[in-house]
Amino acid sequence: MEKASTVIYRHHIAPPRAFTQFSHDLIRHPRLSSDAVRLLTWQLSLPEGTRESLSRTAERARIGATAFTRAKRQLKEEGFVHERRVQGPGGHWITQQLVSSTPLNAAEAAKLLARAPVAVSPQVVPSPRKPAVGAPTPPPTDRHPDQDLGENTSHQPPEPPARASEEARALVAAFPTLSPALSHIPRAMHGELAALTDRWLAAGHPPTAVRTHILRGLPGDGAPVHRPGGLLRYLLREVPPVPDQHPGIPGPQAAPATSSRLSALRECEGDHVQATLFRPVGDETRCTRCTETPPAPTEPGRLAVPPGQEGGPAATFDAWTPSALPPSPCASPPRPAAPGSPGGWPPSGWTPGAGRTAAR
């Protein structure tokens, strides 16, 4: 609100031309917005006989679509604007709009609109028909065309799908039991899915292979399947070739190729801790070490001498016995046998401590 100390001065000069007189009640109407007042005053200021619609005036006054709809509704409610639709010559419908500087009711507006002629632009009047040359010939609709258009048109009707086998239809009916993601398969797609499944069975795939292929194609992260029918159609569209053998039975494998150096070697049949390879000269089956002459048997009580060391010091080394070892100076004397026996114990002339003294 303005303060009491604010004073407004007005300067007004009446225009000598191009002006329109309006009532103060119209400009200061309490139920009309500024857009409605501007739209009404703009229309009333147009020259006599101008046929400019309210929408065109709102466009020139830069009034938006929403503001124009609100302003037009206010003008119609207050009686400043009236509108009706009539059918003119040629069956063309025309919208008539009446703009008044004072409020009018429906009866008064109807009388004024009835006096106004219905203006029809020349372009909306139907033009006279120009008949074609020759007698009319209706298109043939009761017979087949003269030529076969099977090769000339791309709009051939689709061929009816072949009826699937009972096994394929039973397999499709059991698809919802494979996973909860396939529990809502459209009933209308069962025929199409049965035809695709029948192709798998005809190619030689067992039902278990079809179910395994579908389970492998499902999302593994628990993501929901919004169109299970489309997913099954995508998985069954391509039919892979049937494997030659069962996946669980390994087939014969070719021996790995060996090098030329290893192919000339042969495994020795002799007594070896590990497999020993040798290069044969002829058809022998034992290596050179196994084919050497074995050593001669030794006499009892003599050590075996390795081949090639015959006649050396080890050749005359007799097998030792405990009695052949020389006595140790630190060893205790042997315990003799009982008295009266050969080598009995204690010997004659023995005194206690004699052996300990001797050992010292």
Side-chain angles (χ1 to χ4, degrees), residues 108-174:
E108 295 173 346
K111 292 180 180 179
L112 294 176
L113 289 174
R115 299 174 187 174
V118 179
V120 181
S121 56
Q123 63 269 19
V124 299
V125 178
S127 59
R129 294 186 59 184
K130 295 181 180 180
V133 180
T137 55
T141 58
D142 56 346
R143 60 184 179 88
H144 294 284
D146 298 336
Q147 60 179 352
D148 185 12
L149 301 179
E151 300 179 358
N152 301 332
T153 179
S154 60
H155 299 284
Q156 292 291 325
E159 298 181 359
R163 185 174 179 82
S165 61
E166 294 292 339
E167 184 179 6
R169 284 184 291 175
L171 190 59
V172 171

Side-chain angles (χ1 to χ4, degrees), residues 208-257:
T208 55
V210 179
R211 289 190 286 264
T212 304
H213 178 73
I214 292 175
L215 291 176
R216 289 178 179 175
L218 296 179
D221 54 352
V225 179
H226 299 286
R227 295 178 177 84
L231 177 60
L232 290 175
R233 178 172 53 192
Y234 170 76
L235 294 176
L236 299 175
R237 183 175 301 172
E238 300 293 337
V239 182
V242 181
D244 297 337
Q245 58 185 0
H246 196 275
I249 303 177
Q253 299 181 357

Side-chain angles (χ1 to χ4, degrees), residues 18 69 86 112 114 135 157 268 316 337:
T69 304
V86 294
L112 294 176
C268 179
T316 58

Side-chain angles (χ1 to χ4, degrees), residues 320-338:
W320 64 272
T321 59
S323 60
L325 292 178
S328 175
C330 298
S332 301
R335 186 173 184 179

Side-chain angles (χ1 to χ4, degrees), residues 6-326:
T6 303
V7 180
I8 299 179
Y9 299 93
R10 297 176 179 86
H11 176 70
H12 175 71
I13 299 177
R17 60 181 181 84
F19 66 93
T20 304
Q21 295 181 355
F22 298 105
S23 171
H24 292 173
D25 296 338
L26 182 105
I27 299 176
R28 305 172 185 173
H29 201 285
R31 291 181 297 275
L32 294 180
S33 62
S34 59
D35 293 331
V37 173
R38 188 179 185 191
L39 184 63
L40 180 58
T41 55
W42 192 302
Q43 277 283 333
L44 294 177
S45 64
L46 294 176
E48 188 69 25
T50 304
R51 304 300 181 187
E52 183 177 298
S53 62
L54 292 174
S55 59
R56 175 56 182 165
T57 301
E59 182 180 354
R60 293 176 59 189
R62 297 186 179 182
I63 300 176
T66 304
F68 166 68
T69 304
R70 186 186 308 110
K72 183 178 177 181
R73 184 178 67 250
Q74 294 175 359
L75 294 175
K76 293 176 68 174
E77 292 174 354
E78 298 298 328
F80 292 99
V81 172
H82 294 268
E83 194 175 50
R84 73 170 185 175
R85 289 177 59 83
V86 294
Q87 191 173 14
H92 185 71
W93 287 90
I94 302 172
T95 301
Q96 290 182 328
Q97 294 178 342
L98 173 64
V99 181
S100 174
S101 59
T102 58
L104 301 176
N105 54 28
E108 295 173 346
K111 292 180 180 179
L112 294 176
L113 289 174
R115 299 174 187 174
V118 179
V120 181
S121 56
Q123 63 269 19
V124 299
V125 178
S127 59
R129 294 186 59 184
K130 295 181 180 180
V133 180
T137 55
T141 58
D142 56 346
R143 60 184 179 88
H144 294 284
D146 298 336
Q147 60 179 352
D148 185 12
L149 301 179
E151 300 179 358
N152 301 332
T153 179
S154 60
H155 299 284
Q156 292 291 325
E159 298 181 359
R163 185 174 179 82
S165 61
E166 294 292 339
E167 184 179 6
R169 284 184 291 175
L171 190 59
V172 171
F175 281 165
T177 61
L178 297 179
S179 173
L182 304 178
S183 57
H184 300 288
I185 302 176
R187 188 68 181 177
M189 295 188 64
H190 281 208
E192 181 181 1
L193 296 178
L196 295 176
T197 307
D198 201 8
R199 293 174 51 198
W200 281 66
L201 300 178
H205 293 279
T208 55
V210 179
R211 289 190 286 264
T212 304
H213 178 73
I214 292 175
L215 291 176
R216 289 178 179 175
L218 296 179
D221 54 352
V225 179
H226 299 286
R227 295 178 177 84
L231 177 60
L232 290 175
R233 178 172 53 192
Y234 170 76
L235 294 176
L236 299 175
R237 183 175 301 172
E238 300 293 337
V239 182
V242 181
D244 297 337
Q245 58 185 0
H246 196 275
I249 303 177
Q253 299 181 357
T258 58
S259 62
S260 58
R261 296 179 58 186
L262 295 179
S263 60
L265 300 181
R266 183 180 299 175
E267 183 178 354
C268 179
E269 297 181 358
D271 187 10
H272 296 278
V273 179
Q274 296 180 351
T276 304
L277 300 179
F278 72 99
R279 188 182 301 275
V281 179
D283 56 351
E284 61 270 17
T285 60
R286 295 176 178 268
C287 62
T288 307
R289 184 178 178 181
C290 295
T291 56
E292 289 180 350
T293 304
T298 60
E299 299 177 1
R302 299 182 62 87
L303 295 177
V305 181
Q309 299 184 6
E310 294 82 355
T316 58
F317 185 79
D318 294 335
W320 64 272
T321 59
S323 60
L325 292 178

